[in-house]
Structure formats: C-alpha cells, structure tokens
Amino acid sequence: MSLSSDRARRVHLLMAWSRVDDRSFEFQNLTHAVTGDLGWTIAPRLSLYQKVTYSVRDTRDGLGQARSWVTSTQLRGAPRPNLEVTLSRLDRWVSRDAGPGFSAYNDSELSANWAILPLVSLTSQVLYQVREDDDLLLRHTLSWTPLRGGSVSLRLYALDYRDTRTDYRQRGGGTSAIWRPRPRLRLEGGYEVTRIEQDDQANTPTLWSLRGTWTF
C-alpha cells in the first residue's frame, strides 16, 4: 500500500508486509516483517528517507520467538550543481541472535560525488561499521574522461582504499576504454595496477581485461 500526500509527491509513504518460510536444512525458521518507508523532499536539492522494519522470527528450536527492529535514515543533498552528498545511518536491534537478518549491528556512512571539472570527477566514501568489532572503510576514486561521446570513450582513474579492521590498504590506478566500431559491436578493454598492503606484506598485482559484445 502506498500513499502520497500531494500531487507534487513531496512526501510519500509505503507500507509492506512479508512472510518468509525457510525450510532449508540449515535454518528452519518462519519470519514475519512489517516495513514503513517514508520519503520527504525537504527542498529542491535536499531529500530525507526513513525506513523502519519490525520482524518476528520463529526458529522452531524451542527457544521462542526472536524480535528485530531495523531503522534506516538517509539524507541526500546537492549543495552545488556539481556536488552530491549522502549521509546515512543503519541500526538493527535484536532480542537474540537468530541467524541471517537477526544480529545486532550499525553502520554510519558518508559518500560524495564531486564533478571537479567537466571531465574530472571524485567519488569518496567513509563507512564506519560496528559488529562484534568496529572498523573504518575509506574509498576514494579520482576519474578523468578525456574522450566523451562519439564512438570511443576513454577513462583514467586513481583509487585509494583502506580497511582498518583487517589492516588492509590498496592504492593504484588504471585505464578503461569502450569502442563502438559498428552500431551493434561494442569492444571494451582495461588495465589496472595496484599495490596491496596487509599484515606487513605487500604485492603489486596487475589486471588486464578485454570484452567484446556483438548484437545480432
């Protein structure tokens, strides 16, 4: 069931109910869930999305029912025409652990897409996760597309990724190209070299890729 507050759809509400009967060898459970999804266009370049899910799971193991609450909040904005920013928070509370979808956790994320110049863009993500331990993930990608449109598209990029939980870091860059010599023929190729560091060890793998698509 969905409900819109006005014709401009500045606010919308979605309600949903689901029933999942898992009879696999490993889990054997029955789950009922109710979800409410709210979207609000606060301003022309600012939107808020809120989702709340309540679930009840019968694990058929004599331990009784497990209950779960999940809340998700996301704020999307474009303070400038060439900059998009998303801030999100996800939390799950459970009465007890009861398999996939029924364990406590929370995530906080900040992501941004910035068109620095007409052909240069920067994508960044900062993700903080709390499970049994907490960890921080950082991703940054800088891309340059010198050839746009026509039959050839070329992209050059640099990347930086770090995961504090596993003490993992990856840095590198590469290039990818798409060529359409015929309307129904598409050729793609790419090359990437990275340096990976983890647990006081380092290696530098390289990746080549080539793909062709012909539509009859």
Side-chain angles (χ1 to χ4, degrees):
M1 179 183 66
S2 62
L3 173 66
S4 177
S5 64
D6 57 19
R7 294 182 180 179
R9 296 187 65 83
R10 290 180 57 86
V11 178
H12 75 268
L13 175 66
L14 175 67
M15 300 295 295
W17 168 81
S18 66
R19 178 182 185 274
V20 178
D21 189 355
D22 187 344
R23 301 186 181 185
S24 63
F25 176 79
E26 184 176 1
F27 296 112
Q28 293 285 325
N29 56 56
L30 177 63
T31 306
H32 295 269
V34 178
T35 300
D37 193 348
L38 173 67
W40 178 23
T41 304
I42 303 173
R45 294 182 180 177
L46 183 63
S47 299
L48 175 67
Y49 300 90
Q50 176 75 56
K51 179 184 290 186
V52 179
T53 301
Y54 174 68
S55 305
V56 177
R57 173 170 293 177
D58 182 358
T59 55
R60 297 167 177 163
D61 54 7
L63 297 178
Q65 292 181 332
R67 290 173 170 78
S68 167
W69 283 95
V70 179
T71 62
S72 173
T73 304
Q74 187 177 84
L75 188 65
R76 300 177 186 174
R80 301 179 60 182
N82 63 339
L83 176 62
E84 297 179 356
V85 180
T86 301
L87 178 63
S88 60
R89 171 75 180 191
L90 181 64
D91 291 272
R92 180 192 288 156
W93 298 271
V94 296
S95 60
R96 65 178 178 88
D97 287 347
F102 270 73
S103 58
Y105 73 92
N106 67 71
D107 293 341
S108 301
E109 181 179 351
L110 175 64
S111 61
N113 295 315
W114 181 21
I116 304 174
L117 297 171
L119 300 176
V120 180
S121 62
L122 174 65
T123 301
S124 296
Q125 179 190 33
V126 179
L127 177 61
Y128 178 65
Q129 298 178 322
V130 178
R131 303 292 190 271
E132 294 181 356
D133 299 317
D134 61 323
D135 61 280
L136 182 67
L137 284 80
L138 305 173
R139 293 184 178 94
H140 306 289
T141 303
L142 182 66
S143 302
W144 175 40
T145 310
L147 299 176
R148 179 177 294 179
S151 61
V152 179
S153 175
L154 177 64
R155 176 174 174 259
L156 304 175
Y157 61 91
L159 59 90
D160 181 86
Y161 171 77
R162 184 178 181 184
D163 185 345
T164 60
R165 179 175 57 88
T166 58
D167 192 24
Y168 177 92
R169 184 152 195 174
Q170 178 179 351
R171 292 178 175 177
T175 180
S176 62
I178 300 175
W179 178 33
R180 297 180 181 271
R182 296 289 187 271
R184 297 184 178 181
L185 180 61
R186 175 189 174 104
L187 301 177
E188 303 175 44
Y191 172 74
E192 180 179 290
V193 58
T194 58
R195 177 178 173 82
I196 298 175
E197 301 174 359
Q198 187 175 23
D199 298 331
D200 297 326
Q201 297 183 357
N203 60 72
T204 309
T206 59
L207 173 66
W208 287 91
S209 64
L210 181 62
R211 177 181 179 184
T213 306
W214 184 15
T215 304
F216 295 91

